[in-house]
Amino acid sequence: MPRTWAARAGWALLDGWTIAERDIRHWLRQPFNLLVGLVFPVIIALMMGYVFGGAMSLPGGGEYFAYLMPGIFAQTMLFGVMETFTHVTTDAQRGVTDRFRSLPISSGAVVLGRGIADMLNSTVGLTLMLGCGLLVGWRWQQGIGNALLAIGLLLLLRFAFLWLGIYLALVLKRPEAIMTFQILIWPLAFLSSVYAPPETMPAVLGGIVEWNPISATVTATRALFGNPGGAAVSWATANALPLALGWPLLILAIFAPLAVRRYRRLNV
């Protein structure tokens, strides 16, 4: 093992990239599952926008697609956690994780490689969704700098949920648990401001929606993109940008150490 901190970090990064290359080669050889995962958010956006968009009236006005697309971007980052969960549990069940642990590689390389692969996947997926939005008429209105900041917030949200997915996958270890995991993820998406403004909901439900981490990122990115986003009727909606930074950092601070600790204690 390298003796200095910098050498150990370089060793872990190199081994992590080697693990990530395994997933990239798998995507190239069997692209069907990857393509389905990338197209699914596009289908959701088109269905919600064209089927329900005509019946939606936004407080303060504005086109529904302009309101919807930032929400779909954030939802795509959230749903990526299911991809993480499936890969980690499948590797654990097939003994691939144990095989990696027996190799002379950095102890954090496996989870780091999983993170690199999933962030590459998410970046491609987000790029596809941005293209989809442009095709249906969505535009950013506040300049390229604010648009890049909004994209950074979306990727930060994905990075935080990535570690939540790795931790839960290492705890449950079974791919069959994905159904249970989906039952938990879907309410988190719908109890947010992805599809409708919280001020149009009953007071208690609207309060829950406003404090949802997904809502914070959605509201902040709508403001940065210059898209309609409803009124700032509470502290949470008026301070969406700090919350959009704070929630992912809090999730990251909790679940990244737990995931690494859980990985090191597998089979102990």
Side-chain angles (χ1 to χ4, degrees), residues 177-264:
I178 187 64
M179 292 297 294
T180 304
F181 197 57
Q182 287 174 336
I183 291 172
L184 298 175
I185 290 296
W186 279 94
L188 186 61
F190 278 92
L191 288 175
S192 72
S193 60
V194 169
Y195 299 108
E199 57 265 34
T200 64
M201 305 174 188
V204 174
L205 184 61
I208 295 172
V209 167
E210 288 169 355
W211 284 95
N212 185 328
I214 309 300
S215 297
T217 297
V218 172
T219 303
T221 53
R222 281 180 181 136
L224 291 167
F225 284 134
N227 299 144
V233 295
S234 68
W235 190 93
T237 53
N239 295 275
L241 182 56
L243 284 178
L245 290 169
W247 274 121
L249 293 178
L250 177 62
I251 294 169
L252 195 59
I254 294 173
F255 288 101
L258 286 176
V260 173
R261 185 167 178 259
R262 185 73 188 181
Y263 172 75
R264 288 175 173 168

